Amino acid sequence: MTVIILAIVIGLAFGVVLDRIGATNPTVIGKMLNLTNLNLAKTILLAIGTGSLLMFAGQMLGLVDVGHMSVKSAYIGVFIGGLLLGTGWAVAGYCPGTSVVAAGTGRKDAWFFIAGGLLGAAAYMVTYPSWKAWGLLDSIAGGKVTLGTVPGAKYDGLSALPGDVLGIALGLALIALAFALPTRMSPKAPEMLPAE
Amino acid sequence: MLLNWKTGGLLLGLVFFAAVLLVKPIGVSTQFVILDGIVADAITPELITKTDEGYTSTNAYLAKSNGKYAKAASNPLNYSFIFVAAMILGGLLSSRLRGGVEKGEREISALWRANFGDSKVKRYAAAFAGGFIVLYGARLAGGCTSGHMMSGMMQTSLSGYIFALGAFGAAIPVSLLMFKKGV
């Protein structure tokens, strides 16, 4: 029961915040992706950095359960899937999370995105055996790995660097990048965007 | 109306932190599969079956990882599914508090209108097709912007970086080609 209450509280908060940062608006997404307004990119970088900093600092202080980490596997399909997702994200201006929140705000096109998404997920359920047979779901570089080795975690490290210290350092780097990134830039300078 | 990036980024970071502190990292796209599973199992009940060890399915994807998706589809009142349902309510609440999305904007957002005009059919078709590609890609990748990119990079997972490279690597050129007129 507690877990259901947490789902409602955290889910509500996530929905409200995604809406208030503009992520439910396809125009805001489009202007980030065509590099005319990077305000949302700054928001996302600051959020990832803040989350990382708090989580790893909390782990070092013993306040955050390392067992709550959930690291996904690395395989070639992650990159191919990323390319597909990126394409649809640019076309529609929604990703899975922002589409459901946008539908809640009253955007009708978001419901069409969700309907297409349900069909796309179903198509993957049917074609999954082929991807598996092609070996594109086979782990690479150790599969479920973090960049450093996080003390007490059930995941291996890609390097022997202390994973919690590295996590804090990367968190600070992402926050610094959020501050360094200009809000507006010329649409003709795509090479300026960091490959995050 | 919108939060500035410092406040918004801090709040979003706190939500991601709260999730991993209290339960587990945030993820969304799996729930599209779970809803598909619920619907498909209602139509053809033999899709998901209960076994001595748990759940399994005639669909290989629902049956993978010891039937964890089959189990979730059979028990929709689980954390991840309710979480996504609550996100819709979060959107509703936030939009009510700021006076809602304007009439024309609800069907076609400003940037789309400036580049592709007033046809609702065109916009809805693009949203539908985009949704299809996004969720197919997210399931192939094993996560989406929330689970792979935000939660993943926050945990310094290698897969999160690979995913972000692919997602932005495609999204930026496609957006540059499609949306040339500004608003």
Side-chain angles (χ1 to χ4, degrees):
Chain A
M1 196 56 211
T2 319
V3 93
I4 298 298
I5 293 169
L6 285 172
I8 295 169
V9 173
I10 306 172
L12 265 176
F14 188 40
V16 170
V17 175
L18 279 181
D19 185 52
R20 290 309 167 100
I21 61 173
T24 54
N25 184 344
T27 300
V28 174
I29 298 288
K31 286 164 101 173
M32 169 175 76
L33 296 177
N34 76 6
L35 309 176
T36 50
N37 187 330
L38 300 183
N39 208 42
L40 183 61
K42 289 161 79 78
T43 309
I44 294 171
L45 287 167
L46 178 60
I48 301 175
T50 303
S52 211
L53 191 63
L54 292 174
M55 188 188 80
F56 285 111
Q59 286 181 2
M60 287 174 98
L61 296 169
L63 301 172
V64 176
D65 185 353
V66 181
H68 283 191
M69 283 179 78
S70 175
V71 171
K72 292 173 189 286
S73 185
Y75 49 87
I76 303 294
V78 173
F79 186 71
I80 303 172
L83 289 173
L84 287 171
L85 179 137
T87 304
W89 188 27
V91 170
Y94 292 123
C95 58
T98 61
S99 73
V100 296
V101 183
T105 68
R107 288 185 183 272
K108 291 184 185 156
D109 55 351
W111 289 107
F112 284 86
F113 179 93
I114 293 170
L118 288 168
L119 195 66
Y124 184 72
M125 285 162 72
V126 176
T127 53
Y128 162 77
S130 306
W131 291 102
K132 198 165 169 58
W134 294 331
L136 293 169
L137 307 183
D138 296 349
S139 293
I140 53 166
K144 295 185 176 184
V145 294
T146 47
L147 300 181
T149 305
V150 181
K154 55 188 178 225
Y155 306 104
D156 286 334
L158 193 61
S159 70
L161 293 167
D164 44 4
V165 179
L166 183 65
I168 289 174
L170 285 171
L172 289 172
L174 292 173
I175 293 171
L177 190 58
F179 277 90
L181 210 61
T183 301
R184 282 167 202 288
M185 58 198 297
S186 154
K188 292 210 157 55
E191 69 278 6
M192 295 275 293
L193 197 92
E196 84 278 8
Chain B
M1 192 165 71
L2 291 184
L3 296 168
N4 72 52
W5 70 270
K6 285 178 200 160
T7 315
L10 191 63
L11 286 175
L12 187 61
L14 286 173
V15 172
F16 273 86
F17 172 65
V20 81
L21 172 70
L22 300 169
V23 192
K24 61 175 184 175
I26 288 177
V28 176
S29 69
T30 305
Q31 304 317 310
F32 281 73
V33 171
I34 303 306
L35 183 54
D36 279 338
I38 293 169
V39 174
D41 191 50
I43 298 167
T44 46
E46 60 270 28
L47 178 71
I48 297 170
T49 43
K50 205 169 190 303
T51 64
D52 291 340
E53 295 90 49
Y55 291 83
T56 191
S57 171
T58 49
N59 178 271
Y61 192 58
L62 289 176
K64 84 177 182 102
S65 311
N66 295 318
K68 79 176 169 189
Y69 293 162
K71 185 183 173 196
S74 293
N75 304 279
L77 282 180
N78 63 72
Y79 173 81
S80 303
F81 197 70
I82 300 292
F83 180 89
V84 173
M87 287 172 69
I88 304 181
L89 289 181
L92 179 69
L93 180 70
S94 170
S95 127
R96 284 290 156 88
L97 291 175
R98 64 182 167 85
V101 180
E102 309 84 73
K103 181 79 184 70
E105 176 75 15
R106 260 180 255 163
E107 287 89 20
I108 308 172
S109 50
L111 185 64
W112 181 274
R113 198 182 292 275
N115 285 274
F116 301 102
D118 293 327
S119 164
K120 282 184 202 170
V121 176
K122 210 169 168 183
R123 171 59 192 161
Y124 291 162
F128 185 88
F132 185 97
I133 307 170
V134 165
L135 265 299
Y136 191 92
R139 287 298 85 213
L140 172 57
C144 62
T145 331
S146 304
H148 248 319
M149 195 171 84
M150 301 215 43
S151 299
M153 287 175 63
M154 167 181 151
Q155 298 177 91
T156 70
S157 72
L158 174 66
S159 56
Y161 282 87
I162 295 174
F163 175 84
L165 212 62
F168 280 101
I172 292 170
V174 171
S175 189
L176 283 170
L177 284 170
M178 281 184 69
F179 301 103
K180 292 190 167 141
K181 285 182 202 148
V183 284

